[in-house]
Amino acid sequence: MPARQPAKPRARRNISEVRPYHHGDLRRVLIDAALQLAAEGAEISVREAARRAAVSPGAPFRHFPNRDALMSAVAEEAQRRFRAEIEVALDQAPAADPFGRFRAFGLAYVRWARRNPAHFEIISTGRYFAHGSSAELTRDNAELIALTEGILIEAAKQGLLRSADLKRIQIAGRALVYGFARMNLDGHLPRWGVEEDEIERMAEGVIDLFIAGIAKP
Amino acid sequence: MPARQPAKPRARRNISEVRPYHHGDLRRVLIDAALQLAAEGAEISVREAARRAAVSPGAPFRHFPNRDALMSAVAEEAQRRFRAEIEVALDQAPAADPFGRFRAFGLAYVRWARRNPAHFEIISTGRYFAHGSSAELTRDNAELIALTEGILIEAAKQGLLRSADLKRIQIAGRALVYGFARMNLDGHLPRWGVEEDEIERMAEGVIDLFIAGIAKP
DNA sequence: CCATTATGTAATCACCGATTACATATGGCT
DNA sequence: AGCCATATGTAATCGGTGATTACATAATGG
């Protein structure tokens, strides 16, 4: 028999500050521990995350119903960081120069993936948690895609494109960038893929090649 | 007390047929079970493979030093099947038509990946076993890459290319095809990615767009 | 001031990869 | 013909993992 609260008379503290009970926002600490775990190349295990948070093995399950939920939260955080960096890069290219923006987008994309391989893997693969399990992740990703769409629309508006099939160009562009990023992580660039500079230059080359391919001659 | 069977004539059997001891080539049965497991979308576990082979949990370790070795063998088998199908497709395009060959290659690549997502994942990711742990896998993959290189060289020889930077074109082409194949598996084509036909048409469109982009006008 | 609820602990379970000691079948060797 | 080294499989066991449950305690708010 629940004594229903008539209201919240007490001024609730600032919402943005989640209140610590025992540990002090164990949820966040677990997510950070998991991200660090991934960054170190280790498997993410709930137990290890708990261990690093100096908490019992069962404690995390007070904050996440199961491992997948933790992974989803981890993916959301990684996606947040990823998007932030992409947007910074995009802001440095003028909106009136769609090819420049696409270039900036592709380079930032590849660079982040290369520098945060494990996190990129978690974000992009949908293999670490049930697909569509996180609405935030889905929305974030959709916005990122819409962003590339906007770039292409602007290019079309300016009459820069050889073809009018925007969807096709968009898919091709995403496939190119995504594929190049993944080739790095998946070890498909065995010989020369060691030098950071070489990767960067090749990324530029590949993106420029693509732009030249879709640009009106 | 088991009655010994005097059978087995002295002559050593055909070498190509591995000799069954107790089970009858448990090694192969385990690999097949693992492949099937993956195809069903389940995790590959040594125990489950053993279970399906109706053998004790420790038995597989007589044939593979550890789980990774089994995974490597599984990857080798999957790669064999993959390559076989690619080569069939390539054989149906005349060697004198490099663009047609690239198109056939890309389509066969994407189609196989889509139809055998788990196996493609195992092959291409290098996340399921130590990278470079299988010389055969490495060699096979290198040959596949050399194949695409040959196609481009032929195109250049015929003066079909706009740019002379073959390496750049090759990387871009591989990134495009690999990226598109992975986008399918990784759930990056949420809306329209359900219809097999639509995927196929989009694959053709993307590949043709790429070809048009690198072809001399 | 105290009941409710949020949070954490301890104990336990089933499953997994892996190792070890032991049992048995196989086929080469003499 | 027979023996035996070895290839193969089993049983028992270990530590690690995700997950559930019963229980303990801290914090909140009426």
Side-chain angles (χ1 to χ4, degrees):
Chain A
M1 28 219 329
R4 274 297 53 128
Q5 60 279 42
K8 301 184 177 173
R10 288 260 186 266
R12 199 120 162 67
R13 278 199 290 238
N14 189 344
I15 283 211
S16 70
E17 185 204 338
V18 183
R19 58 233 349 253
Y21 269 67
H22 301 63
H23 186 281
D25 205 356
L26 175 58
R27 183 188 159 89
R28 163 115 259 131
V29 172
L30 288 170
I31 293 175
D32 287 344
L35 277 167
Q36 198 176 349
L37 224 34
E40 291 167 8
E43 289 280 313
I44 294 184
S45 101
V46 177
R47 281 183 121 85
E48 180 60 26
R51 212 169 285 131
R52 295 201 177 189
V55 104
S56 81
F61 293 95
R62 292 290 173 184
H63 298 268
F64 306 96
N66 51 38
R67 183 183 186 277
D68 263 23
L70 169 59
M71 292 304 294
S72 286
V74 167
E76 282 172 16
E77 175 60 24
Q79 171 94 343
R80 227 183 322 269
R81 299 181 186 178
F82 177 57
R83 257 198 76 179
E85 205 157 306
I86 295 282
E87 281 169 0
V88 164
L90 272 181
D91 285 348
Q92 290 170 350
D97 175 16
F99 286 161
R101 275 172 75 78
F102 178 78
R103 197 170 190 276
F105 171 86
L107 286 178
Y109 193 106
V110 169
R111 191 178 301 127
W112 196 88
R114 180 157 178 84
R115 291 195 182 151
N116 308 277
H119 296 174
F120 183 78
E121 167 78 19
I122 292 173
I123 292 176
S124 61
T125 304
R127 195 177 307 110
Y128 294 93
F129 48 91
H131 198 66
S133 71
S134 161
E136 178 181 345
L137 206 58
T138 306
R139 180 179 49 72
D140 256 42
N141 210 19
E143 286 181 20
L144 212 56
I145 292 176
L147 223 140
T148 70
E149 212 170 340
I151 294 177
L152 278 182
I153 291 179
E154 174 63 23
K157 203 168 283 177
Q158 295 188 23
L160 300 174
L161 298 180
R162 204 148 54 92
S163 156
D165 192 340
L166 287 195
K167 170 154 252 170
R168 178 175 299 186
I169 298 177
Q170 190 200 3
I171 300 287
R174 284 173 55 203
L176 186 87
V177 172
Y178 184 56
F180 187 81
R182 290 224 59 113
M183 284 174 72
N184 273 279
L185 313 193
D186 296 346
H188 291 223
L189 305 175
R191 228 338 106 251
W192 52 276
V194 281
E195 295 270 351
E196 178 81 22
D197 277 5
E198 212 167 0
I199 297 277
E200 192 81 8
R201 270 185 287 123
M202 189 50 83
E204 291 182 28
V206 163
I207 292 174
D208 287 343
L209 180 72
F210 178 76
I211 292 177
I214 63 171
K216 184 171 287 182
Chain B
M1 275 318 197
R4 288 296 168 82
Q5 313 158 10
K8 303 313 179 225
R10 286 296 171 193
R12 198 127 157 43
R13 279 187 294 218
N14 188 344
I15 281 212
S16 71
E17 185 202 339
V18 182
R19 277 173 342 319
Y21 270 67
H22 301 64
H23 185 282
D25 205 356
L26 176 58
R27 183 188 159 88
R28 162 116 258 130
V29 173
L30 288 170
I31 293 175
D32 287 343
L35 277 168
Q36 198 177 349
L37 224 34
E40 290 168 10
E43 290 279 314
I44 293 185
S45 100
V46 178
R47 280 184 122 87
E48 181 60 26
R51 213 170 284 134
R52 297 201 175 188
V55 102
S56 80
F61 294 96
R62 291 291 172 186
H63 297 268
F64 305 96
N66 51 39
R67 185 181 184 277
D68 264 23
L70 169 60
M71 292 305 295
S72 287
V74 167
E76 282 171 17
E77 175 59 24
Q79 171 94 344
R80 228 184 319 272
R81 299 181 186 178
F82 178 57
R83 257 198 74 179
E85 203 157 307
I86 295 282
E87 280 168 0
V88 164
L90 272 181
D91 285 348
Q92 289 168 350
D97 175 16
F99 285 160
R101 276 171 74 78
F102 178 76
R103 196 170 190 278
F105 172 86
L107 286 178
Y109 193 105
V110 168
R111 190 177 302 130
W112 196 88
R114 179 157 178 85
R115 291 195 183 152
N116 308 276
H119 296 173
F120 183 77
E121 168 79 19
I122 293 173
I123 292 176
S124 61
T125 304
R127 192 176 309 110
Y128 294 93
F129 49 91
H131 198 67
S133 71
S134 160
E136 177 181 346
L137 205 59
T138 306
R139 181 178 48 71
D140 255 40
N141 209 20
E143 286 180 20
L144 212 56
I145 292 177
L147 224 140
T148 70
E149 212 169 340
I151 293 178
L152 279 182
I153 291 177
E154 175 63 22
K157 204 169 280 175
Q158 295 187 22
L160 300 175
L161 298 180
R162 206 147 53 91
S163 155
D165 192 340
L166 287 195
K167 170 153 251 170
R168 178 175 298 186
I169 297 177
Q170 192 200 2
I171 300 286
R174 284 174 54 204
L176 187 87
V177 172
Y178 184 56
F180 187 81
R182 292 223 57 116
M183 282 174 73
N184 272 280
L185 313 194
D186 296 346
H188 290 225
L189 306 176
R191 223 347 100 248
W192 51 277
V194 281
E195 295 272 349
E196 178 82 23
D197 277 6
E198 212 166 357
I199 297 279
E200 192 82 6
R201 270 184 290 125
M202 189 50 85
E204 291 182 27
V206 163
I207 292 173
D208 287 343
L209 181 73
F210 179 77
I211 292 177
I214 63 171
K216 185 173 286 183

